[in-house]
Amino acid sequence: MSTSTPLPSVPALPQLRTCGINRHHWYGVAQSSEVGAKPVAVILWGEAIALYRDRQGQVHALEDRCPHRHVKLSEGAVVGEAIACAYHGWHIGPAGNCTEIPYLGAEQKLPTCRIKTYPVREQDGFIWLFGGSGDGTDVPLMGLPEWDHLNYIASWTTIDCPGHFSYLIENLMDMHHGHLHDNYQAWAEAKLERIETQSQRVDAYYEAQSYYKIDKIWSVSQLFIPALRQLHPEPLTVSYIYPHWASSLGNDFKIYCLFCPVSPTHTRAYLIHFTSLNAFWRLHKLPIPFRRWVKNSLFNSARGLLDGLVRQDVAMIAQEQAAFLADPQRKGQEVNRAIAPVQRLIWQESQQPFKEERG
């Protein structure tokens, strides 16, 4: 095991399973297609947020609270550049201020109230929200470079997990629970070889036996026909890049998990799977419109696989959370060397100071 940056000691269990997030990061709060003509309600660690697209298609994020009667803006409607509150029709614009009141008298002035706003970016198929102070330009956004790349087929699903986010990230970093997933998992016999830690990431390197090898046109059918799969060794890398997760299995598969922790007992996330077509060199010579058609036609072809994995993992995490709530002091036994660095990173980030500067 190699360690480039020391992390703090492992926190006590009650601290770890209830600690908060470091808001000074970009969080994946929605898939682009989820934010359309109607506002969308999301929650990032207890903060209710309304996402919406204006008439130009630009995404904005506001505190989900009308400054008038404090009802949810997300239940209103998009009107031009603003959200019209469902209760009295007040228009709240992207700067968080009131821009119009339908019944305002001629002698009256608009109130100077202002609600909280959040920086957002629409990139790589998802809406990323910055929860910290400032505009987030000084903080790197992990991104999904494969999303628009013609050589990768994307699939995605949501994770709605009744547990603290630490349980989900530990689950994703631990490649020794493969027998839980039966035919859903792409590898077997994962052996942890080394761990590397940096100030805001933990990388665990495994050697695994992969069931798939995507190197011929017919080999894509392995995704759907288990009898065609044959085990062969492939490197498996899993990385906690706070606050998200990324992995790769050989040259054929990449998986990401974008986190949006809701509360100490509720985590939402997005699981994104990419199948590589890099091995098909003849495909690369075809016209780009055709390659785009192939990519779009196969979009979400692995959704069923992802949903199966998520159902099984969420069931286990729900049990872990319930056990903790029943006896917060009772600590389980752990032998995977990747888990302790992950726990230290979670705790380290939760202790970072947070200063709110927006309105």
Side-chain angles (χ1 to χ4, degrees):
M1 178 177 69
S2 60
T3 302
S4 55
T5 303
L7 294 170
S9 59
V10 176
L13 199 60
Q15 294 175 314
L16 175 69
R17 302 307 184 197
T18 58
C19 73
I21 63 171
N22 181 355
R23 287 186 170 87
H24 206 72
H25 289 275
W26 291 93
Y27 287 85
V29 294
Q31 208 276 332
S32 288
S33 64
E34 295 177 309
V35 184
K38 291 282 293 180
V40 174
V42 299
I43 300 175
L44 177 63
W45 202 251
E47 293 191 21
I49 300 164
L51 302 176
Y52 75 99
R53 288 187 189 276
D54 62 25
R55 59 186 171 186
Q56 305 299 325
Q58 183 72 32
V59 178
H60 304 282
L62 303 175
E63 179 184 0
D64 198 2
R65 180 192 296 258
C66 179
H68 178 211
R69 294 292 181 87
H70 296 179
V71 300
K72 293 181 178 180
L73 280 176
S74 59
E75 295 183 359
V78 178
V79 180
E81 306 296 317
I83 296 181
C85 179
Y87 198 0
H88 291 82
W90 285 33
H91 289 202
I92 309 301
N97 60 313
C98 180
T99 60
E100 181 181 336
I101 297 176
Y103 54 87
L104 192 69
E107 74 287 356
Q108 292 178 298
K109 294 182 179 180
L110 286 172
T112 58
C113 54
R114 188 179 297 272
I115 60 173
K116 186 176 180 181
T117 64
Y118 298 82
V120 286
R121 293 187 197 173
E122 186 167 14
Q123 178 180 317
D124 302 330
F126 286 82
I127 310 299
W128 307 75
L129 182 142
F130 186 72
S133 58
D135 59 9
T137 54
D138 61 329
V139 179
L141 186 155
M142 182 179 73
L144 307 172
E146 297 83 7
W147 184 265
D148 289 316
H149 198 294
L150 291 176
N151 289 350
Y152 289 91
I153 306 302
S155 300
W156 70 276
T157 193
T158 56
I159 302 175
D160 204 341
C161 184
H164 188 264
F165 69 92
S166 62
Y167 288 116
L168 179 54
I169 193 62
E170 288 175 22
N171 168 276
L172 292 167
M173 291 295 291
D174 182 0
M175 296 294 100
H176 296 313
H177 69 284
H179 67 282
L180 170 68
H181 295 309
D182 299 324
N183 290 330
Y184 290 122
Q185 187 159 282
W187 62 85
E189 301 176 21
K191 179 182 178 182
L192 181 60
E193 295 192 326
R194 74 181 193 279
I195 304 164
E196 295 180 359
T197 64
Q198 299 180 39
S199 60
Q200 292 185 334
R201 68 182 291 162
V202 175
D203 299 285
Y205 298 89
Y206 293 83
E207 182 70 26
Q209 294 292 318
S210 174
Y211 288 106
Y212 307 101
K213 193 171 185 62
I214 310 300
D215 59 351
K216 299 178 179 63
I217 291 296
W218 64 264
S219 63
V220 177
S221 61
Q222 296 172 89
L223 299 172
F224 314 102
I225 306 175
L228 297 178
R229 304 169 189 168
Q230 294 183 345
L231 286 174
H232 63 280
E234 291 280 13
L236 171 62
T237 302
V238 291
S239 303
Y240 186 23
I241 309 168
Y242 192 95
H244 307 299
W245 176 84
S247 73
S248 63
L249 177 64
N251 297 318
D252 294 329
F253 302 103
K254 295 187 178 183
I255 308 178
Y256 296 85
C257 190
L258 308 183
F259 277 70
C260 181
V262 175
S263 75
T265 58
H266 184 189
T267 302
R268 276 185 57 81
Y270 289 90
L271 192 65
I272 306 102
H273 178 281
F274 293 102
T275 301
S276 171
L277 301 180
N278 285 319
F280 305 125
W281 60 270
R282 289 187 177 88
L283 179 65
H284 307 164
K285 295 184 176 182
L286 296 175
I288 287 179
F290 177 78
R291 294 173 62 191
R292 176 66 62 184
W293 176 83
V294 170
K295 177 182 176 71
N296 293 341
S297 298
L298 293 174
F299 177 72
N300 250 349
S301 55
R303 179 71 177 256
L305 175 77
L306 298 180
D307 286 341
L309 286 166
V310 167
R311 282 194 301 271
Q312 292 174 339
D313 281 335
V314 166
M316 295 295 102
I317 292 171
Q319 294 182 35
E320 289 185 281
Q321 181 68 54
F324 169 75
L325 294 175
D327 188 354
Q329 301 298 329
R330 186 170 184 178
K331 186 177 181 180
Q333 302 300 307
E334 184 57 69
V335 297
N336 187 341
R337 293 179 289 115
I339 301 304
V342 165
Q343 293 176 340
R344 290 194 289 265
L345 179 54
I346 290 171
W347 179 247
Q348 169 189 281
E349 290 296 311
S350 75
Q351 300 305 295
Q352 299 304 307
F354 173 66
K355 295 180 180 179
E356 183 52 65
E357 296 176 357
R358 293 192 300 277

